Amino acid sequence: MGSIVTELESVLGPGQVDADEVTLARYAVDQAPVVDFHLPLAVVFAQSVEDVQAAVRCCASRGIALVARGAGTGVSGGAHASRNSVVLSLERMDRILDLNPDDETAVVEPGVINAVLNQAAAVHGLMYAPDPASFRTSTIGGNVATNAGGLRCAKYGVTRDSVLALDVVLADGSLIHTGHQTFKGVAGYDLTGLFVGSEGTLGIVVGITVRLKYLPRDVQTIAAFYPDFRLAAAGVLAVGRARVQPAIMELLDGGTLAQLDSIHGSDLSARGRSLLLIQTDGFGAVAEAEVVRRVLADGGALVTTESTAEAEQLVELRRNSRGVEVDDEYRVGEDVAVPRSRLVDYVAALEGIAVAHEVSLKVVAHAGDGNLHPTFWVDRLDNAVDEGAMERLNLALDDSIDAALEMGGTITGEHGIGQYKLRWLGLEQPEPVRELQRRIKELFDPAGILNPGKAI
């Protein structure tokens, strides 16, 4: 029997299998810290459902792991190559197969870029609501794999809330269709919901039917600057008590504002030590914005009315608030969520943790749904860092997770578990629940070849 590379080349078209070391290294990881690095045996570039089925069958027959990936924008290691694995890239499966403006649905291949689908839907006055910060590069398939959120999830929900049906290749190479074309449908178990967020461990999604929403006729942006982060977090609760539902409600701390200023030449830090950025949309956008402005001003904020150009710039700055860095062993961005009523408490806890462990901290948050992204880091000298600093960083990360769980939160709001966050999963989910998930995994993937060592 020849090598897996030779076999894959024999069943797939020219240029669809690459074992060059540069390519292997590029596709071995996503943007998460690497816990256990491995080069894949090959990278397969699928162009059709049949290609995916052929790759799955080849790997299954040899007991070789298969790691599916989209654009590689994940930050939890869900697309990291495993030992003795083939990476299956779905980026070339990038067609919008159908867009029905009357049914308000679209059918797409997994490699369709989030922004591309939105451009196509906008022609019909529609939009695909989930909008992760990486929407210009992340794929719908990758969004499905992690149940991605984004800026608009406070009003429109996460990816799962917009997925109606899936086409999935199982671990034996067979193809199934789950879900329905209608907005409502409750026949049988919700397998579609099960696959969304499963990080490629139960099957490989090759087709997605999504529900589209109406493109808002009006959008109003409110920027509220505060003297400190905790007051800004309190502003989030004040808006909720006014019973206004913003489409976007984003929170940025002083460290984030300073970093954005240094990168983009903006003047955010001169306007305050924390920013609460809110958008209302729809026919009632103006009336809702007036309520929001009044409530925030009463809470001590400097509230500005942004022009369209300024508003778009602020939202764009928020999308780039992770900066130019990617997570690595010295800098780790977290993804916890807490009940909104505990936002102020959790922000205080984060600030205390950073001081106690002598690490740097900056925080951005999808504050409308309590999903925070604190980034902890330690400085390095000549690309090295002392062992004590690394220990302090890891203790800070552990404490931030513990604090979130103590407040009724979760260890991941939208990034997924992947490989990196497995060490904390047992703190949130007791063993009977984890065992049940392992049994589900075994049912769908008895040989354990689909993205092993991730998610559960």
Side-chain angles (χ1 to χ4, degrees), residues 408-453:
T410 176
I411 66 174
T412 176
E414 59 184 5
H415 291 169
I417 295 296
Q419 181 189 78
Y420 186 75
K421 297 176 79 79
L422 276 174
R423 55 176 162 162
W424 296 310
L425 185 57
L427 300 176
E428 178 172 340
Q429 295 186 334
E431 187 51 40
V433 173
R434 296 191 70 185
E435 174 59 22
L436 184 59
Q437 291 179 92
R438 286 191 284 266
R439 288 164 60 187
I440 292 171
K441 163 73 170 172
E442 186 177 358
L443 174 65
F444 281 92
D445 179 23
I449 66 166
L450 296 180
N451 211 9

Side-chain angles (χ1 to χ4, degrees), residues 103-137:
D103 286 341
E104 300 161 19
T105 61
V107 182
V108 302
E109 292 184 320
V112 170
I113 301 295
N114 189 299
V116 172
L117 175 57
N118 263 302
Q119 290 168 358
V123 174
H124 305 283
L126 299 167
M127 69 175 183
Y128 176 61
D131 69 328
S134 59
F135 79 106
R136 289 191 180 88
T137 54

Side-chain angles (χ1 to χ4, degrees), residues 32-56:
V34 178
V35 176
D36 185 24
F37 179 78
H38 297 282
L39 282 178
L41 303 173
V43 179
V44 170
F45 296 93
Q47 297 178 180
S48 67
V49 174
E50 292 74 20
D51 288 346
V52 175
Q53 291 179 287
V56 170

